[in-house]
Amino acid sequence: RRDRRPGRRVAVGAMLISVASSAPACKPTTAPSAGASPSPSPGSSPTARPLATAMENLALITSLEAQSGRHTILIEIVGGMEQTGRVSAGNGWSYTFTDPEDPARLLYKWSTYGDGRIRFLGSAYLSHETGDLAAVLRIDSDRAVELGRSYGAQAFVDRFPAAQVLANCRFRSGLPVWSMEYFDPTYATNCPVYIYLRADTGELLA
């Protein structure tokens, strides 16, 4: 039986998921600023669709990554968005790829910004579970944020109308998961609401 009382944590597989509407010492966070100074992209990059959802520029970014000659798969999408599920002002979507056969476990990161700019951010080392996200991703960010409100975040949005969402989509315990942090950018509260749902079916994980 699921316990829905505030402050409880519920295990989904090997993953612990917070379903609390508040937590001690919690603070809102924001996605990387578009003011960062990313590395130049390989070759010339076209312009992405401005103020997009997570999936609206996915085919373009996947194509640009393929042009690099690397044999990679998409493993993570991260971004800051409005309640429409579209990227918020000053933020962007970050797309992370890796070659599953690469023993070095390197990551390759691309970003699209609200104004349509595209940047290749370079490489880093892999530090979490991977899976071919593009092969199973069915729930775009606009649908994910809408489902999140129906799964319990609506009361927070009603109380804090300026609420935005920091979203992360990747594999967790073998499942493709949208993890979403609903927070108030005006800092009227420093205790966000967290919602986790499957990125292939939209099912709530709690």
Side-chain angles (χ1 to χ4, degrees):
R1 181 175 174 268
R2 296 172 181 167
D3 193 335
R4 295 292 187 176
R5 290 174 294 175
R8 302 288 297 187
R9 296 174 69 86
V10 181
V12 176
M15 175 174 63
L16 285 176
I17 292 178
S18 170
V19 294
S21 60
S22 62
C26 49
K27 293 180 66 178
T29 55
T30 56
S33 169
S37 300
S39 302
S41 59
S44 59
S45 296
T47 300
R49 179 172 180 173
L51 301 176
T53 66
M55 293 178 66
E56 285 178 343
N57 288 314
L58 180 56
L60 173 58
I61 296 302
T62 300
S63 173
L64 290 173
E65 171 62 17
Q67 290 174 30
S68 71
R70 295 183 288 266
H71 301 286
T72 57
I73 58 173
L74 175 73
I75 62 168
E76 185 176 42
I77 302 174
V78 178
M81 58 183 176
E82 304 285 357
Q83 290 301 314
T84 59
R86 297 181 178 278
V87 66
S88 54
N91 288 310
W93 289 110
S94 174
Y95 302 84
T96 302
F97 297 81
T98 193
D99 181 348
E101 304 299 324
D102 179 13
R105 295 169 62 84
L106 283 174
L107 303 176
Y108 305 94
K109 293 179 176 286
W110 293 80
S111 279
T112 61
Y113 298 103
D115 59 3
R117 287 179 298 131
I118 299 174
R119 293 291 184 272
F120 177 65
L121 302 183
S123 60
Y125 286 102
L126 180 63
S127 61
H128 58 71
E129 179 183 356
T130 66
D132 190 351
L133 188 60
V136 297
L137 183 60
R138 299 293 181 270
I139 305 298
D140 201 351
S141 54
D142 53 350
R143 180 58 176 157
V145 74
E146 179 184 16
L147 286 170
R149 290 195 300 269
S150 73
Y151 289 149
Q154 187 62 56
F156 182 88
V157 175
D158 289 343
R159 185 177 179 187
F160 304 103
Q164 295 183 0
V165 183
L166 181 63
N168 175 294
C169 188
R170 67 178 178 87
F171 273 83
R172 298 170 182 262
S173 300
L175 296 176
V177 176
W178 273 111
S179 58
M180 294 178 293
E181 176 188 340
Y182 292 72
F183 70 94
D184 178 34
T186 69
Y187 291 84
T189 176
N190 68 342
C191 292
V193 169
Y194 298 93
I195 299 290
Y196 298 79
L197 57 88
R198 288 186 57 160
D200 54 348
T201 66
E203 177 188 357
L204 177 66
L205 294 175

